[in-house]
């Protein structure tokens, strides 16, 4: 049984093969998952992850049990994570879970009879976001994930998308990471081999191939607002790309959306394509 709990569960070969199929299929409607049922179990709010799993599953002919607001489920009566997972694994063929606590997806996998897919566990990981983030870089960087200068800005302490992405990109040759945050929101996971830390984005913008922007996570107690100006974004190299897992608060002005370097809406589209192939593999 294939659980997707961490980027560590995704080999480079698995990812390359998934991305190649995603490029070829582009979310094509089919019946590969006809008769299969997915549970979407979200203890935290979500727009993109829950909806793209829903879209991906139905594009392949499957059905979804959406538990997107756990206050209307028996969780509100005090049901344990383990009992909820045992219950939903009796009714469905895979469970996508987002939870407030780091390690919760792994806990779920200990009792589940069906594959568990981690859709974000506290400030832990968000491996399926990394599948689509890696795919975005693969698509816009000539199918290569090496020799990159990656600048990550925002809440690097709590941002699970950042933690998963750094894990992935650190596997590839000659990648250099710039971590940009105030000291209280510094990247806290094991550091990659080549990195630079600063609280001043202007130091590194000109030396950036990929700018990965994240919001400050108020729900995890972070207090710090920032927004990049058009002048700052325009100082990025012409061939760079700007990514953001979203939701965006005010980190990137809407005016930048029409710039060819802005790839955050491509990321959202790619999320559906990649999650569809992932579900077809996990459920086959
Ligand atoms: N990127 C992401 O996880 O977005 P949602 O919180 O809307 O799912």
């Amino acid at each position: 049984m294939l659980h997707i709990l961490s980027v560590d569960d995704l080999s480079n070969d698995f990812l390359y093969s998934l991305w190649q199929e995603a490029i070829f299929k582009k979310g094509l409607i089919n019946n590969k998952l006809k008769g299969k049922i997915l549970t979407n179990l979200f203890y935290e709010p979500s727009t993109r992850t829950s909806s793209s799993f829903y879209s991906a599953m139905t594009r392949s002919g499957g059905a979804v049990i959406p538990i997107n607001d756990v206050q209307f489920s028996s969780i509100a009566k005090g049901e344990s994570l383990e009992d909820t997972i045992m219950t939903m694994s009796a009714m469905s063929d895979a469970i996508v879970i987002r939870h407030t606590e780091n390690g919760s997806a792994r806990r779920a996998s200990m009792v589940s009879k069906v594959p568990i897919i981690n859709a974000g566990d506290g400030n832990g990981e968000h491996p399926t976001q990394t599948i689509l983030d890696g795919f975005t870089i693969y698509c816009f960087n000539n199918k290569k994930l090496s020799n990159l200068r990656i600048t990550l800005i925002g809440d690097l302490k709590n941002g699970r998308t950042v933690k998963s992405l750094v894990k992935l990109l650190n596997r590839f040759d000659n990648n250099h990471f710039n971590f940009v945050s105030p000291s209280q929101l510094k990247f806290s996971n094991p550091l990659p081999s080549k990195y630079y830390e600063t609280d001043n984005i202007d130091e590194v913008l000109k030396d950036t191939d990929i700018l990965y922007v994240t919001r400050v996570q108020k729900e995890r107690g972070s207090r710090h607002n920032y927004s990049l100006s058009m002048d700052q974004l325009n100082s990025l190299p012409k061939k760079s790309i700007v990514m953001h897992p979203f939701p965006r608060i005010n980190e990137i002005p809407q005016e930048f959306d029409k710039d060819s370097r802005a790839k955050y809406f491509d990321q959202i589209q790619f999320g559906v394509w990649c999650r569809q192939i992932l579900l077809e593999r996990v459920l086959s």
Side-chain angles (χ1 to χ4, degrees), residues 26-259:
K26 292 185 171 54
L28 203 72
I29 308 285
N30 67 62
N31 263 327
K32 280 190 183 162
L33 298 180
K34 192 171 166 57
K36 301 279 186 186
I37 299 172
L38 176 73
T39 294
N40 258 355
L41 179 61
F42 280 68
Y43 289 72
E44 279 189 347
S46 168
T47 296
R48 277 144 293 274
T49 313
S50 64
S51 305
S52 72
F53 269 113
Y54 198 109
S55 173
M57 189 68 186
T58 49
R59 276 169 184 277
S60 291
V64 181
I65 301 174
I67 306 180
N68 285 339
D69 193 344
V70 295
Q71 64 170 311
F72 296 114
S73 73
S74 285
I75 292 159
K77 301 175 199 161
E79 185 162 73
S80 69
L81 174 65
E82 283 75 9
D83 284 356
T84 303
I85 294 294
M86 289 290 284
T87 302
M88 296 320 298
S89 68
M91 299 184 196
S92 55
D93 302 289
I95 299 172
V96 173
I97 179 170
R98 170 170 291 184
H99 199 279
T100 52
E101 285 168 28
N102 195 332
S104 51
R106 196 163 299 281
R107 254 177 74 200
S109 73
M110 304 294 215
V111 296
S112 181
K113 294 189 174 69
V114 299
I116 296 289
I117 301 176
N118 181 4
D121 59 330
N123 65 0
E125 282 209 44
H126 194 344
T128 69
Q129 178 73 38
T130 298
I131 296 177
L132 70 96
D133 288 344
F135 182 68
T136 305
I137 298 168
Y138 180 81
C139 288
F140 292 114
N141 192 53
N142 298 320
K143 302 192 173 175
K144 291 193 179 62
L145 278 80
S146 52
N147 300 309
L148 293 166
R149 297 165 300 174
I150 307 117
T151 296
L152 304 111
I153 180 169
D155 188 347
L156 308 184
K157 179 178 163 208
N158 293 302
R160 52 199 176 199
T161 65
V162 166
K163 291 175 186 174
S164 291
L165 183 62
V166 170
K167 258 192 184 181
L168 175 70
L169 294 179
N170 197 37
R171 288 185 199 164
F172 293 85
D173 290 339
N174 202 29
N175 283 337
H176 177 92
F177 298 84
N178 297 312
F179 294 113
V180 185
S181 70
S183 58
Q184 59 273 31
L185 299 181
K186 270 169 74 166
F187 188 74
S188 57
N189 261 30
L191 286 156
S193 33
K194 292 185 194 167
Y195 72 95
Y196 175 68
E197 283 181 314
T198 178
D199 59 3
N200 180 6
I201 184 71
D202 295 319
E203 276 185 41
V204 292
L205 279 173
K206 286 190 181 64
D207 300 312
T208 293
D209 301 308
I210 294 164
L211 178 63
Y212 194 87
V213 183
T214 64
R215 77 188 163 94
V216 171
Q217 307 216 351
K218 292 206 164 45
E219 70 272 31
R220 295 186 220 292
S222 301
R223 297 277 170 271
H224 174 78
N225 271 322
Y226 76 96
S227 47
L228 296 166
S229 67
M230 285 301 288
D231 281 348
Q232 285 175 313
L233 290 162
N234 280 327
S235 73
L236 284 161
K238 289 285 169 240
K239 286 191 171 164
S240 64
I241 64 170
V242 178
M243 298 170 62
H244 192 316
F246 272 31
R248 158 172 62 178
I249 310 305
N250 48 16
E251 303 81 31
I252 302 174
Q254 222 175 331
E255 193 186 344
F256 188 71
D257 295 358
K258 54 184 181 294
D259 191 290

